[in-house]
Amino acid sequence: MASDESYTTEEIAKLLKISKLTVYDLIKKGELPSYRVGKQMRIDAADLDAYKQRAKGIAFAERPLPAAEAAPPPAFAARPAGVRPLVITGQDVSLDILAKHLEQRLPGARPLRAHVGSMDSLIAMYKGEADIVSTHLLEGETGRYNLPYIRKLLVGASYLVVHLLARKAGLYVARGNPLGLRGWDDLGRPGLRLVNRERGSGARVLLDEQLLLRGMKPDRLLGYDLVRTNHLGVAAEVAAGGADVGVGSEKAASLVEDVDFIPLIDEQYDLVVLKHAASRPWIPELLGILRSDAFKRELQAIAGYDLSRTGEVLHET
């Protein structure tokens, strides 16, 4: 490998044949030194080589070694000291702003962004692969956001749930709403073409809950299996004429031409943090950022956010 070559986390995952979340876990543990270029994390080829050599050394560690061979390989000396990556999951732009503030307020931390859906984020936290998780999962029967899912997935854990923001969720339709769609009930129209989000995303859970409440069968919806992995992708599919309707947040509609937005629900967007020895030192800083005027001013510049409860602790165990 050339000494000046570097890789994205996705490329590392493919090279090592592991998941991207496992790559983030290696970064978080300090086993893969990384740095950020814009919003993207990079790993130098030399550091990848060093990690592979260390991994090979671990494989041989189970057999007794002569004293002369017992010293750790020199690659260990290259591991950066005092830097702790913090993995923040979710796709909303507010999380990028949060990562920037954390980087400024916590010199010993390196915020990393994992763009995954709400359910996968909570699962990653359960596995120890995420530090700050964002979630917007609606339980249809109670109309409550997030806590029902958090309690089920983080049983026995000590955690903090903090409100980040509220935003409108609803339907993306073509400019001018030529089909005259008004609400969830219209999704049952024969021949209506849907574009969906991936399983576990907040938008997918919202759609499924609304269908369940109305007794609609997902397999009866044309395009239910047509999946895009973010709000922009769903809105763009509607704008391009590949679908008549999709579910998502208001912000994405403002970024895509030829799409109108029908607001249907106020979506609650919360953060979850596990409470343990490693997180306790920076949790007060996180709360301080969320409640600060500087952070809120940046979010206020983005249309569609309700920040009236930002930084409020909703639940703590």
Side-chain angles (χ1 to χ4, degrees), residues 18 23 25 29 42 47 55 59 81 84 126 133 142 149 156 167 182 188 199 214-215 217 223 250 266 274 299 303 306:
I18 57 177
V23 176
D25 190 44
K29 292 176 180 176
R42 306 288 303 187
D47 289 323
R84 188 196 187 298
Y126 174 80
V133 156
T142 64
Y149 295 91
R167 63 188 189 184
R182 292 290 177 266
R199 289 181 181 276
R214 288 161 177 78
K217 302 291 185 183
E250 183 177 16
D266 290 320
L274 290 182
L299 293 189
D306 177 354

Side-chain angles (χ1 to χ4, degrees), residues 122-137:
L122 287 172
I123 292 170
M125 174 162 278
Y126 174 80
K127 293 178 177 179
E129 298 172 345
D131 298 287
I132 301 173
V133 156
S134 67
T135 177
H136 55 109
L137 296 168

Side-chain angles (χ1 to χ4, degrees), residues 114-306:
H115 292 80
V116 295
S118 293
M119 192 68 75
D120 285 344
S121 293
L122 287 172
I123 292 170
M125 174 162 278
Y126 174 80
K127 293 178 177 179
E129 298 172 345
D131 298 287
I132 301 173
V133 156
S134 67
T135 177
H136 55 109
L137 296 168
L138 175 69
E139 185 181 61
E141 290 184 2
T142 64
R144 299 184 67 192
Y145 265 95
N146 301 324
L147 271 178
Y149 295 91
I150 295 167
R151 285 172 171 153
K152 290 175 185 176
L153 283 169
L154 300 181
V155 175
S158 182
Y159 56 83
L160 188 71
V161 182
V162 188
H163 182 65
L164 179 59
L165 54 88
R167 63 188 189 184
K168 297 288 185 183
L171 303 179
Y172 301 134
V173 297
R175 179 71 70 194
N177 194 8
L179 298 179
L181 303 180
R182 292 290 177 266
W184 303 113
D185 292 333
D186 291 325
L187 296 179
R189 286 190 190 181
L192 191 72
R193 299 171 302 154
L194 175 75
V195 55
N196 209 348
R197 284 291 303 279
E198 75 279 10
R199 289 181 181 276
S201 67
R204 175 71 165 256
V205 170
L206 174 60
L207 171 64
D208 288 345
E209 291 290 332
Q210 298 302 329
L211 295 179
L212 181 64
L213 289 172
R214 288 161 177 78
M216 297 182 188
K217 302 291 185 183
D219 57 6
R220 302 271 180 90
L221 272 63
L222 184 64
Y224 182 83
D225 295 325
L226 175 62
V227 170
R228 297 293 178 265
T229 57
N230 54 53
H231 293 303
L232 283 174
V234 172
E237 189 70 26
V238 173
D244 300 314
V245 64
V247 176
S249 67
E250 183 177 16
K251 176 61 180 174
S254 69
L255 298 174
V256 178
E257 293 184 3
D258 299 322
V259 164
D260 283 345
F261 179 73
I262 303 171
L264 296 177
I265 193 169
D266 290 320
E267 190 173 57
Q268 185 174 319
Y269 205 75
D270 298 327
L271 300 179
V272 188
V273 179
L274 290 182
K275 292 161 57 181
H276 46 64
S279 65
R280 290 184 191 278
W282 54 259
I283 286 177
E285 291 291 345
L286 171 65
L287 293 175
I289 291 168
L290 295 175
R291 295 166 181 170
S292 69
D293 291 338
F295 179 67
K296 291 180 181 179
R297 273 197 303 271
E298 288 197 57
L299 293 189
Q300 284 167 351
I302 302 172
Y305 287 161
D306 177 354

